[in-house]
Amino acid sequence: MRIASVRHEGERRFGVVADGGLRLIAPGVDLYDALAADTMERHLTDDLVVLAADAPREVPMPVATIRDFITFEQHTAGSLRAVTGADVVPEAWYEAPAFYFTNPHAALGSGQPVPMPPGCTTFDFELEVAAVIGRAGYNLTVDEARECIVGYTILNDWSARDLQRREMRVGLGPAKGKDTATTLGPELVTVDELAGREDGDRLALGMSVRVGDDLIGEDDLRQMAWSFAELISYASRGTWVRPGDVIGSGTAGGGCLAELWGWNGEERPAPLRIGDTVTMTVEGLGTIRNTVVAGPEIHEIPRARRVEYVPPTN
């Protein structure tokens, strides 16, 4: 089953992709409850929305949180060179999967404009796939975590690299460098739709990204250093994952400009500019496409107020 979302009569509506369009789900139905109980057909209305290929989409499912991992070794090695100046992947990367939380309120659908972050001069994209949690779980084993996945979608982790470099020197981050937009879409593809595309515990899905007509990079999702089930097990360690939680794979090899900058030793290809269109395609999941537009003005804030302090002696 493929779930999509559109703006219909001024309201965001979810539906099942069928009959050349989107057959809408009745208002008020919890998408994840209906999918878990296999009652989706019962909740479909007679409304059919025609889906034009280039029409803007809404995010295809309700989003609660977004955890974005970094699991492709090639990307890790190249992007660390560009963002932190590191020459090698740190040993800690191999010991456990690393992730950060990004902003669910900034999630966008395919075809929606992406604003340039205020103050950013070095804008980038990241080609990823996300697993979506459809059933709650706490402190899950890998096998239990696998059963919590309801489906998959493409994820573009838009990144303001100049902001990211500065804030990560503080020892936190990334934060504002990743805060403006995350594209999810074009559809939520349920697990059963991808049967036969498995390679062991990975999904064998070809991935590619273009800026305009220029191919930037290609990879295969099976190159992940950890499976999605392993990522979810780790994410749930000592805490909950719940329906609507999004688990990003991390960026595919060659899937962003920063990685290429790290290998090339210079910002080549050039950072994104207003008017650039980024297109990502993943086998079995479809294509997302967004154009960068001018963002809001930047409102300056002062430097920190310095306060004289005395380090403790004990």
Side-chain angles (χ1 to χ4, degrees), residues 78-100:
S79 61
L80 283 177
R81 287 170 177 253
V83 175
T84 69
D87 290 331
V88 296
V89 177
E91 188 60 32
W93 183 85
Y94 299 93
E95 294 171 357
F99 70 92
Y100 74 97

Side-chain angles (χ1 to χ4, degrees), residues 8 89 125 260 285:
H8 180 64
V89 177
F125 52 83
L260 301 179
L285 300 184

Side-chain angles (χ1 to χ4, degrees), residues 24-27 29-30 33-35 39-45:
L24 298 180
I25 301 165
V29 173
D30 186 286
D33 285 348
L35 286 170
T39 58
M40 189 65 75
E41 294 291 336
R42 192 176 70 194
H43 298 297
L44 296 181
T45 69

